[in-house]
Amino acid sequence: MVGRTGVTSLDGDLMVVWDSCGEDDIATVSIRQAEGDGAADPDAGTLVGEWETGQRNREEKVLGPYASDDPPTLEEGRGYVALAEPADSTQQLSPVEFTVDEVADLSRDGVLIGDQDDRVVGDLRDLADC
């Protein structure tokens, strides 16, 4: 794992954020329904949405799924997994599991961050803790 994916709220809208630790450009961002024992498994669960990041790279580290042409429908109380994926498929960022309620309850600068097999609450500076 190189880097981490996080989720935060900007004016009530879900934002997916990431830091690839300077290793790779990010090619796609995806959100899946969480499945199984609650572990953030990016390969399990129904795909809710996947977005190409276009010209975004390791310096442009935010994507607002609700601002896209195909916004996701996220249900309260259901678990989801967000993952920013590098163009180089040999590297992977830590995914983050979340619920809509958890993101809404974050402080103004709070970010829920995937950290290996767990998650932490921090801010954007903590996201870059590579």
Side-chain angles (χ1 to χ4, degrees), residues 2-10 13-21 26 28-31 51 53 56-65 81-85 93-98 103 106 108-115 120 122-128:
V2 176
R4 305 194 290 181
T5 306
V7 290
T8 189
S9 177
L10 180 64
D13 287 334
L14 176 79
M15 304 299 280
V16 178
V17 294
W18 62 84
D19 194 310
S20 63
C21 301
I26 300 302
T28 60
V29 170
S30 62
I31 297 176
W51 301 272
T53 57
R56 294 173 191 269
N57 59 30
R58 60 187 166 269
E59 278 79 39
E60 296 181 67
K61 302 183 277 193
V62 62
L63 182 132
V81 177
L83 177 64
E85 299 182 79
L93 278 71
S94 294
V96 61
E97 186 171 345
F98 68 95
V103 176
L106 290 170
R108 185 171 191 274
D109 296 324
V111 179
L112 187 59
I113 302 168
D115 187 30
V120 296
D123 60 29
L124 288 175
R125 291 180 308 243
D126 298 317
L127 186 69

Side-chain angles (χ1 to χ4, degrees), residues 70-123:
D70 53 346
T73 301
L74 302 181
E75 301 171 24
E76 291 183 12
R78 178 180 290 278
Y80 295 95
V81 177
L83 177 64
E85 299 182 79
D88 176 4
S89 61
T90 63
Q91 300 290 336
Q92 185 175 351
L93 278 71
S94 294
V96 61
E97 186 171 345
F98 68 95
T99 67
V100 173
D101 297 332
E102 289 172 328
V103 176
D105 289 342
L106 290 170
S107 67
R108 185 171 191 274
D109 296 324
V111 179
L112 187 59
I113 302 168
D115 187 30
Q116 295 295 339
D117 294 325
D118 202 1
R119 58 194 182 147
V120 296
V121 175
D123 60 29

